[in-house]
Amino acid sequence: MTTSTSGLHLNTNRRWLADAVELLSSMRFAISLLSLISIASVIGTVLKQNEPMPNYVNQFGPFWFDVFEKLGLYAVYSAWWFLLIMAFLVLSTSLCLIRNTPKMLKDMRSWRDNVREQSLLNFHHKAAWTSPAARTAFAQSLAGQVAANGYKVKLVEKENASLIAAKQGAANKWGYIFAHSAIVIICIGGLLDSDLPIRFQKWVYDKTPFSGNGIIADIPAQHRLGLGNPTFRGNTLIPEGGASTTAIIPQQSGVLIQELPFSIKLNKFIIEHYSTGMPKLFASEVVVRDNITGHTFPATIKVNEPLIYKGIAVYQSSFEDGGSKLKLSGYPMSGLQDDAFAIAGEVGSTTPLSKNADAEYTVEWSGFRMFNIENMAQSGQDVRAVDTKKTFNEKFTAGLDKQLGSAAKNANNKDLKNVGPSVQYKIRDKTGQAREYHNYMQPVQVEGDYMFLTGVRNSPNEPFRYLRIPADDSDTVEEWMRLRAALSDPALRAQAAKRYAQRTMPSSRDTADKLREQLEQSALKGLSIFAGEEGMGGYLAVSQFLEKIPPQEQEKAADIFMKILNGSLWELWQTAREKDGLKPVAGDEKQARFLQLSTNALSDSFFYGAPVYLQLKEFEEVKASVLQVTRSPGKKVVYLGCLLLTLGVFSMFYIRERRLWIWVKSDADGRSHALMAMSSQRKTLDFEKEFDTLKGRLTQGA
């Protein structure tokens, strides 16, 4: 009884194992795995991988950020579930190969010469004919003709009959073997180039990402990977004249430092441009020094022309600023002062906005670009970025959307121009809050007028919104800054309102004096509203003021208000120039246009949000090359897999296996009777034609 029960358990276990192997090696299981891998690949393509975690929080919000993080969607190709799917795919394909390859190899060697005459009669493609020749001679003649058509032939003598077994295209089965082997090899190559070795070092050697700031040479050993790391993919940024012996491997919570067996010194970074200013060539002239032997040699690294040394490939990835030295002029954006002050900085460093140790603001210099290719066909996004209701407010400000912006890209209307150098920086206050700014050095022609463009955004996920400051006759911002400071001065506003009233109503009669006084008060009121004395200034404050008027009178009131405001601003400008000892400007169309653009810029400046405007004056550019450094032992393995996959697909689709049998027997009269049958895995028109051609050749002369 015990023996019987043990045998039953053994048979059950064997049956369970056989069923599991059958499932794992089945076509439906492999297709399911490939479908999951395809879905994961789509996710990895759509969702940027291995970005800093704050970027994902800003993009998806805290709730979905946690959900996606638990699913491993921020690093799909190294997620545990993706690696598990890959492992099952390798296992499934390997079991399929183990089960079917011996059968296929045996079938390729087999002649299938155990057929009988009756079985050949059941074939769809068959033919029969008779020859007066003797059976043996006839069979040998047929075998020779079949061999002449490219078939491998075997002649077998049966009882009172001869069997010709022939085959062609047996290599078709190598396609199956090569294709399935390629899947296994490519997956193994991919795993060799994955981050599994780095994960192993994290688990075993307690390696942790570095998330702080500091000099690379001072970063502790627990954040460094040694020369023995079998696979990695990192970047190194090298300024001209600088050198690097490490690469930075980005991680979700920081970076790891990868030691290199050699140092790379950048002598010169070369960038060439097309006539439009678009870059056409990146190249780095470097000197490589072996850290062990001291051997040095020069090399030029170009896009698609990497340097390969000691199994490590160095690719030209991109370029950055390497610490350009900048000199700028700062202009206050609030208060009564309009005098410029000098400020200097270096990209990658910080500068206080005041010489005092307890400066309220600091400038973080984040970038400098020598060339900026912009599409000037579209004016871009307004710096104000405010929503208005479907009221008079919206009607009043509807035309302002054209006042502000850079040249945003437009696929349907392109006007690409190089608008010259630009500087990018952040202004951070004592509480740690910061806004980012992007200022062009030279005035840019937008819609026929030359403007100084200065962009602002609150976070890196937002596009820059640009304030347009009109260039004066000297191609500077001096006149606009003078008008801005004057608008902030109550005394100058009062003088301007008085001058406007006197110029408009010069008569000295009593009635005129009263009207002139009322006009003066109206002008002063308009300037005060526009200056933001009661909160927000600019056109938004004007529209809010006009909304207090009955709707049926708003249009008329707006026309009168704007006429008084424009006249008052003109007098304010002249008053400010007189205060600074300058002559009044001519009241021509050019100066009127400048005042109109200045007024628009003054209105938009309330949304600029910076204590100063910084204009780039001089610079000393320092280029830096960004190189990608990789060690990928699985690359050649993947190449082998791709070769096998190509051979496999070619074999399966373009090589057709055909089998041919001819049964030859003789009758009592000495004549020979031949029965031919032919088969193929795929019944195509080519096969039909081949069968008819071969039948015609063999039966010819029978």
Side-chain angles (χ1 to χ4, degrees), residues 210 216 219 223-226 246-249 255-259:
F210 179 74
I216 292 180
I219 295 177
H223 308 303
R224 294 177 174 270
L225 302 177
T246 59
I248 306 298
I249 302 176
V255 297
L256 289 170
I257 310 300
Q258 173 63 56
E259 302 286 351

Short mmCIF file of all heavy atoms in Angstrom, two decimals, residues 210 216 219 223-226 246-249 255-259:
data_model
loop_
_atom_site.label_atom_id
_atom_site.label_comp_id
_atom_site.label_asym_id
_atom_site.label_seq_id
_atom_site.Cartn_x
_atom_site.Cartn_y
_atom_site.Cartn_z
N PHE A 210 25.15 59.58 -4.06
CA PHE A 210 25.51 60.84 -3.42
C PHE A 210 24.52 61.91 -3.86
O PHE A 210 24.31 62.11 -5.05
CB PHE A 210 26.94 61.23 -3.81
CG PHE A 210 27.40 62.53 -3.23
CD1 PHE A 210 27.72 62.63 -1.88
CD2 PHE A 210 27.52 63.67 -4.02
CE1 PHE A 210 28.14 63.83 -1.33
CE2 PHE A 210 27.93 64.87 -3.49
CZ PHE A 210 28.26 64.95 -2.14
N ILE A 216 34.22 66.46 -6.63
CA ILE A 216 34.19 65.01 -6.88
C ILE A 216 35.29 64.30 -6.11
O ILE A 216 35.09 63.21 -5.57
CB ILE A 216 34.30 64.74 -8.40
CG1 ILE A 216 33.03 65.23 -9.10
CG2 ILE A 216 34.53 63.26 -8.68
CD1 ILE A 216 33.04 65.01 -10.59
N ILE A 219 34.32 63.29 -2.54
CA ILE A 219 33.16 62.43 -2.28
C ILE A 219 33.64 61.11 -1.68
O ILE A 219 34.56 60.49 -2.20
CB ILE A 219 32.37 62.20 -3.59
CG1 ILE A 219 31.79 63.54 -4.06
CG2 ILE A 219 31.27 61.18 -3.38
CD1 ILE A 219 31.04 63.45 -5.37
N HIS A 223 30.22 56.19 -2.12
CA HIS A 223 29.50 56.69 -3.29
C HIS A 223 30.26 56.44 -4.59
O HIS A 223 29.87 56.94 -5.64
CB HIS A 223 29.25 58.20 -3.16
CG HIS A 223 28.61 58.59 -1.86
ND1 HIS A 223 27.41 58.07 -1.43
CD2 HIS A 223 29.02 59.44 -0.88
CE1 HIS A 223 27.09 58.60 -0.26
NE2 HIS A 223 28.06 59.43 0.10
N ARG A 224 31.35 55.67 -4.53
CA ARG A 224 32.20 55.45 -5.69
C ARG A 224 32.18 53.99 -6.11
O ARG A 224 32.09 53.09 -5.26
CB ARG A 224 33.65 55.86 -5.39
CG ARG A 224 33.83 57.35 -5.14
CD ARG A 224 35.27 57.69 -4.80
NE ARG A 224 35.48 59.12 -4.70
CZ ARG A 224 35.84 59.89 -5.72
NH1 ARG A 224 36.06 59.35 -6.90
NH2 ARG A 224 36.01 61.18 -5.56
N LEU A 225 32.28 53.77 -7.41
CA LEU A 225 32.39 52.43 -7.98
C LEU A 225 33.79 52.25 -8.53
O LEU A 225 34.33 53.13 -9.20
CB LEU A 225 31.35 52.22 -9.09
CG LEU A 225 29.89 52.42 -8.69
CD1 LEU A 225 28.98 52.26 -9.91
CD2 LEU A 225 29.48 51.43 -7.60
N GLY A 226 34.37 51.08 -8.25
CA GLY A 226 35.76 50.84 -8.62
C GLY A 226 35.96 50.51 -10.08
O GLY A 226 35.02 50.40 -10.88
N THR A 246 36.79 60.53 -13.82
CA THR A 246 35.58 59.87 -13.32
C THR A 246 34.42 60.14 -14.25
O THR A 246 34.46 61.05 -15.08
CB THR A 246 35.22 60.37 -11.90
OG1 THR A 246 35.02 61.78 -11.95
CG2 THR A 246 36.31 60.03 -10.90
N ALA A 247 33.39 59.34 -14.08
CA ALA A 247 32.13 59.54 -14.79
C ALA A 247 31.02 59.57 -13.76
O ALA A 247 31.11 58.94 -12.70
CB ALA A 247 31.89 58.43 -15.81
N ILE A 248 29.96 60.29 -14.07
CA ILE A 248 28.81 60.42 -13.19
C ILE A 248 27.70 59.50 -13.69
O ILE A 248 27.26 59.62 -14.83
CB ILE A 248 28.30 61.87 -13.14
CG1 ILE A 248 29.44 62.83 -12.77
CG2 ILE A 248 27.15 62.00 -12.16
CD1 ILE A 248 30.04 62.57 -11.41
N ILE A 249 27.27 58.59 -12.83
CA ILE A 249 26.17 57.69 -13.17
C ILE A 249 24.92 58.18 -12.43
O ILE A 249 24.85 58.12 -11.20
CB ILE A 249 26.48 56.24 -12.76
CG1 ILE A 249 27.77 55.77 -13.45
CG2 ILE A 249 25.33 55.31 -13.11
CD1 ILE A 249 28.21 54.38 -13.04
N VAL A 255 23.69 60.51 -7.41
CA VAL A 255 24.62 60.03 -8.44
C VAL A 255 25.64 59.10 -7.80
O VAL A 255 25.91 59.17 -6.59
CB VAL A 255 25.35 61.21 -9.13
CG1 VAL A 255 24.37 62.10 -9.87
CG2 VAL A 255 26.17 62.02 -8.14
N LEU A 256 26.20 58.23 -8.63
CA LEU A 256 27.34 57.41 -8.25
C LEU A 256 28.54 57.85 -9.07
O LEU A 256 28.41 58.24 -10.23
CB LEU A 256 27.05 55.93 -8.49
CG LEU A 256 26.03 55.27 -7.56
CD1 LEU A 256 25.68 53.87 -8.06
CD2 LEU A 256 26.57 55.19 -6.13
N ILE A 257 29.72 57.80 -8.46
CA ILE A 257 30.95 58.21 -9.13
C ILE A 257 31.67 56.96 -9.62
O ILE A 257 32.01 56.08 -8.82
CB ILE A 257 31.86 59.02 -8.18
CG1 ILE A 257 31.06 60.14 -7.50
CG2 ILE A 257 33.05 59.55 -8.93
CD1 ILE A 257 30.45 61.12 -8.47
N GLN A 258 31.89 56.88 -10.92
CA GLN A 258 32.58 55.74 -11.52
C GLN A 258 34.03 56.12 -11.81
O GLN A 258 34.31 57.05 -12.56
CB GLN A 258 31.89 55.30 -12.81
CG GLN A 258 32.61 54.24 -13.59
CD GLN A 258 32.73 52.94 -12.82
OE1 GLN A 258 31.73 52.39 -12.38
NE2 GLN A 258 33.95 52.45 -12.65
N GLU A 259 34.96 55.39 -11.20
CA GLU A 259 36.37 55.61 -11.47
C GLU A 259 36.72 55.08 -12.85
O GLU A 259 36.22 54.03 -13.29
CB GLU A 259 37.23 54.89 -10.42
CG GLU A 259 36.96 55.33 -8.99
CD GLU A 259 37.53 56.70 -8.69
OE1 GLU A 259 38.27 57.24 -9.53
OE2 GLU A 259 37.23 57.25 -7.61
#
